[in-house]
Amino acid sequence: MAAAAVVDGAELILSVPDDVLALISAHLRPRDLLALSAASRRLHAALSAADKPWLAQCRRLLRSSLSHVLAWRAAAGGSSLAVCRFLHSVAPLRGLWAHQNPELGNLVAALPGFFSLVAVRAIPQELSPRLLWAPVFEILADAHGHPTLLFLHGHHPGSLFPGLLAPLSPHANTLLLEAHAAVPSSHASQFPRLSFGNRRRLLDALVASCRLTLPPELAAAPLFACSDEDLPVLAARREAMLRLHRDSGGGMVGRPELEALLHGAKNILPLPTLDSAADKVRLRRSLSAMACRVRNGLRQMVARSASANSRPQYAESKHLPLDEFLRAGEGVGLSLRGARMRLSTYRAWPSMPDNRFALYKLTTQTPMPGREYAGLWGGTFGWPPGRPEDECKLGKALFILLLSYEEDSEGKLLLIATKVLEGSHYVVHPNGSSMFVVRVGEPSTEAFPWITEEDSGSVDIERSFAGEGIANGYGFRYPGSKPGSLFVLQDGRLAFLWRDNKSVLTLQRLDLEELLRKGERVPALPPIPNFAYLTKSYSNVFAVIHGSSSCSSSNSQVKGMTKDPGLG
């Protein structure tokens, strides 16, 4: 009887029409369907062949129109299962990533492209109807939907640098750009064992050797679809990228060629003639980077000497020699590794070592009752608040903040606004600064000083909280604070007001993915700095590369528009 019941249950599932099974599967997770397919051979064969249940999963995971999902399926050879496998596999990479440098903000969002995952950087900028962004990297699926193909983006249009995606940790909080001397596997990567100087030299040599260029007619193609008209060119672009990746052998560079490049990099080149202001800026950065390398080298020498003197049994260098790393295979290639590392955080901002080519995951809390304001917000200083659709007025520096909830040592709930992007010409507050912290359980007794907006509309306050706002600039990592209040406006916006000088920061909730899709692409930095900009900088390094007035403001404009509450 028990055996008959099992058979009857399988028969019942197999007898369900595909349309009904698709409706049911839309409420399940991919792992639930996989578990069901593992229950018996017949169920496995039936679910592997059935397309509609997996198509329903694709629509749920992709959150896009049916035409876009069908275009993805066509690119996957007509297999919704392959599309679902890709979306499920790259899920740990989706979301927001950041790096500490430059201090104006290095915010990277990973979002679906065209049967791919595209990581783009939001550029520090003034408030405008179109958000400026630059591509960082792309991950493409192979024929079976496995996310294995990596392309790093560089400054020149159509420039791509191929590599491979190493196996992902399901809870990755760090994205590491590395080199591999063999096909990346689940074994521990040897690249981190190299000294920082050798890691930098090796990555620079790789991108100098493996550069590919898209055909001119595809170099300016979009990276993700804004409408159905974009789908054919996106499909053609993907096919061209797959061919380039295959023909280049995955970007693997032969060991003799790489050793010749590394040897040539040691030669001292004459200083270039400074023909422009941009050249002078680049030279200053090069000299600064060289000084950093010298300092790092001295620190390593001192540390090694101290270790050898204190513990003679460990006199051998702790770093893996570069030639030993190169001997592990006949070629070397770029790779991206998503790892789970033990990271300390301070008010939602992770501690970021400055000797890794890495991006770090920003945890975005989901709004829920009692914690309604969690998530990503954007806004400007000053009243009335800046409006993206108003192009007639001088723009204001755009700030993007990550709002999250924490409990203090006494168990009281705090709402913390962490700065992740700043659109000034020169940084006012460093990355990771807590722009304000409010006590959720303590209503404010302050009154909002404005009763109308510029268009004479009345300002209705729904509720308010007492707290403190940032009071100093970038001189130290954990700046002081001054009292203020957070006001919740009836239209859903937030406004934090500093009590002493009446400076106000007005915010509205952002859908960053949607803004990036509708935004404007600008050139990226050179490939290795484009992934992680390791040189300390307080100015807008992106504006120098792009040469666009929309990427930066004059100092006088910034001072007038972004009133620093710590200086007022």
Side-chain angles (χ1 to χ4, degrees):
M1 292 294 294
V6 171
V7 172
D8 290 342
E11 290 291 344
L12 179 62
I13 294 173
L14 291 172
S15 66
V16 172
D18 282 353
D19 291 337
V20 177
L21 190 57
L23 289 174
I24 296 172
S25 69
H27 299 279
L28 301 175
R29 297 171 299 177
R31 66 179 63 178
D32 298 325
L33 281 179
L34 291 173
L36 182 62
S37 68
S40 73
R41 292 183 179 179
R42 293 182 65 196
L43 284 172
H44 176 76
L47 285 173
S48 298
D51 187 71
K52 289 185 178 179
W54 298 109
L55 183 63
Q57 286 289 321
C58 294
R59 295 198 68 181
R60 186 177 67 84
L61 292 172
L62 191 56
R63 298 192 298 272
S64 187
S65 66
L66 179 60
S67 59
H68 288 198
V69 177
L70 293 177
W72 279 49
R73 186 179 66 174
S79 171
S80 296
L81 176 58
V83 175
C84 186
R85 181 182 291 119
F86 174 76
L87 290 170
H88 180 68
S89 300
V90 298
L93 299 184
R94 291 190 63 173
L96 298 179
W97 302 81
H99 192 270
Q100 182 59 46
N101 295 320
E103 291 284 359
L104 272 175
N106 194 340
L107 181 64
V108 175
L111 60 156
F114 182 80
F115 201 17
S116 65
L117 189 76
V118 180
V120 301
R121 174 178 290 107
I123 303 298
Q125 60 201 269
E126 296 173 354
L127 187 68
S128 72
R130 295 172 65 83
L131 193 66
L132 301 177
W133 57 269
V136 179
F137 66 83
E138 287 183 72
I139 296 171
L140 271 62
D142 62 14
H144 304 287
H146 298 293
T148 56
L149 311 181
L150 167 71
F151 284 97
L152 194 64
H153 280 267
H155 175 55
H156 298 286
S159 291
L160 298 171
F161 303 85
L164 296 177
L165 178 68
L168 283 172
S169 165
H171 305 290
N173 60 359
T174 310
L175 269 180
L176 298 148
L177 182 64
E178 298 182 341
H180 64 274
V183 177
S185 66
S186 58
H187 301 295
S189 171
Q190 296 298 308
F191 183 76
R193 294 183 57 199
L194 297 172
S195 68
F196 176 71
N198 281 336
R199 279 181 277 145
R200 182 189 290 274
R201 290 173 55 220
L202 185 54
L203 290 176
D204 286 340
L206 278 174
V207 299
S209 306
C210 69
R211 175 183 169 184
L212 304 174
T213 305
L214 280 170
E217 65 274 13
L218 296 176
L223 273 63
F224 29 70
C226 295
S227 66
D228 291 352
E229 287 74 18
D230 294 330
L231 295 175
V233 69
L234 280 167
R237 179 180 181 272
R238 179 179 180 276
E239 288 299 322
M241 292 173 69
L242 291 176
R243 285 195 302 271
L244 289 173
H245 200 283
R246 181 178 61 251
D247 295 344
S248 67
M252 296 294 287
V253 180
R255 192 171 69 191
E257 179 184 354
L258 198 59
E259 288 175 342
L261 279 171
L262 290 169
H263 177 73
K266 294 181 180 180
N267 297 331
I268 300 175
L269 299 176
L271 292 176
T273 305
L274 304 181
D275 294 329
S276 65
D279 291 334
K280 295 179 182 178
V281 171
R282 281 191 287 271
L283 177 60
R284 285 199 298 270
R285 289 188 193 139
S286 299
L287 294 175
S288 175
M290 187 180 298
C292 288
R293 293 176 195 176
V294 171
R295 284 196 299 270
N296 290 337
L298 290 173
R299 288 172 186 165
Q300 292 170 10
M301 291 170 60
V302 171
R304 192 176 301 155
S305 175
S307 175
N309 290 334
S310 59
R311 294 181 293 173
Q313 66 271 29
Y314 297 113
E316 190 176 0
S317 170
K318 63 179 180 179
H319 293 300
L320 179 71
L322 182 56
D323 57 349
E324 184 177 333
F325 176 86
L326 296 175
R327 284 198 301 269
E330 292 302 317
V332 179
L334 291 171
S335 63
L336 187 65
R337 183 165 62 96
R340 179 72 182 179
M341 293 189 173
R342 191 171 181 178
L343 299 176
S344 61
T345 60
Y346 179 78
R347 292 183 170 176
W349 188 256
S351 232
M352 302 183 188
D354 58 1
N355 62 349
R356 292 181 188 154
F357 296 90
L359 296 172
Y360 299 85
K361 192 74 174 280
L362 296 182
T363 303
T364 305
Q365 298 178 359
T366 303
M368 62 180 64
R371 303 190 176 197
E372 296 87 352
Y373 311 115
L376 202 64
W377 296 71
T380 60
F381 275 93
W383 191 269
R387 298 183 182 277
E389 65 275 7
D390 190 355
E391 299 187 61
C392 300
K393 293 187 177 181
L394 185 67
K396 296 186 176 184
L398 172 65
F399 282 73
I400 296 182
L401 309 182
L402 184 64
L403 271 59
S404 56
Y405 288 85
E406 288 185 10
E407 291 185 358
D408 64 10
S409 57
E410 299 178 356
K412 295 180 180 178
L413 193 62
L414 304 176
L415 175 61
I416 301 167
T418 304
K419 190 213 89 173
V420 295
L421 189 78
E422 178 180 332
S424 307
H425 177 68
Y426 195 80
V427 69
V428 180
H429 305 293
N431 277 344
S433 295
S434 299
M435 298 300 291
F436 59 81
V437 179
V438 297
R439 297 175 290 278
V440 176
E442 183 179 336
S444 174
T445 59
E446 300 292 323
F448 196 66
W450 297 282
I451 60 174
T452 62
E453 292 196 43
E454 191 176 34
D455 56 3
S456 300
S458 61
V459 177
D460 298 317
I461 303 300
E462 191 174 273
R463 57 197 305 197
S464 62
F465 308 97
E468 289 80 32
I470 195 168
N472 293 281
Y474 58 81
F476 42 90
R477 173 51 52 195
Y478 308 113
S481 59
K482 290 184 178 180
S485 301
L486 179 67
F487 296 90
V488 181
L489 280 59
Q490 199 169 30
D491 60 4
R493 289 178 297 172
L494 302 178
F496 187 86
L497 180 74
W498 279 260
R499 180 192 302 170
D500 294 343
N501 56 15
K502 304 305 179 187
S503 293
V504 61
L505 175 61
T506 309
L507 304 171
Q508 65 181 35
R509 194 178 289 277
L510 293 183
D511 184 344
L512 188 61
E513 280 198 13
E514 187 65 21
L515 289 174
L516 290 169
R517 291 180 186 278
K518 295 179 178 178
E520 178 183 350
R521 177 179 175 177
V522 293
L525 293 169
I528 300 303
N530 185 41
F531 184 84
Y533 194 91
L534 296 187
T535 304
K536 192 80 169 179
S537 175
Y538 295 102
S539 62
N540 193 345
V541 300
F542 306 104
V544 174
I545 294 295
H546 304 143
S548 171
S549 60
S550 59
C551 297
S552 63
S553 306
S554 67
N555 287 327
S556 60
Q557 289 172 345
V558 170
K559 290 178 180 177
M561 295 181 298
T562 313
K563 189 175 182 182
D564 185 352
L567 302 177

